Amino acid sequence: PRARVLERDDLAVHAVIRSAWLRVPSDVEVRIDATAGLVHLRVAAPLALRARTHPRARAEALLAAVDAAVRAA
């Protein structure tokens, strides 16, 4: 409910996700590189959000969810 997808295709998603606490937006891109067997993730969070949260942990949780969904498909 806090995510808004800006662009998507078969191998990529670009979205804005708002934090639960302050509703600060983070720009997120997920791209699947099927040839290399990789999922690329880019998260750009404002400096104010980085000071209060752990964006790396959030990014790793997102990658784990994407990995689980890909393996289940």
Side-chain angles (χ1 to χ4, degrees):
R2 297 185 324 260
R4 182 172 49 110
V5 175
L6 303 175
E7 298 176 51
R8 70 177 178 194
D9 60 36
D10 291 342
L11 298 175
V13 174
H14 178 205
V16 173
I17 300 174
R18 296 198 172 267
S19 65
W21 183 47
L22 294 174
R23 302 284 188 228
V24 177
S26 293
D27 191 61
V28 178
E29 288 185 34
V30 178
R31 183 164 306 279
I32 297 171
D33 184 349
T35 306
L38 297 172
V39 176
H40 300 280
L41 173 67
R42 183 189 66 78
V43 178
L47 194 55
L49 182 62
R50 287 185 213 148
R52 292 185 172 88
T53 63
H54 302 283
R56 182 176 182 95
R58 291 173 56 204
E60 288 173 353
L62 179 59
L63 275 177
V66 168
D67 185 55
V70 168
R71 290 180 190 277

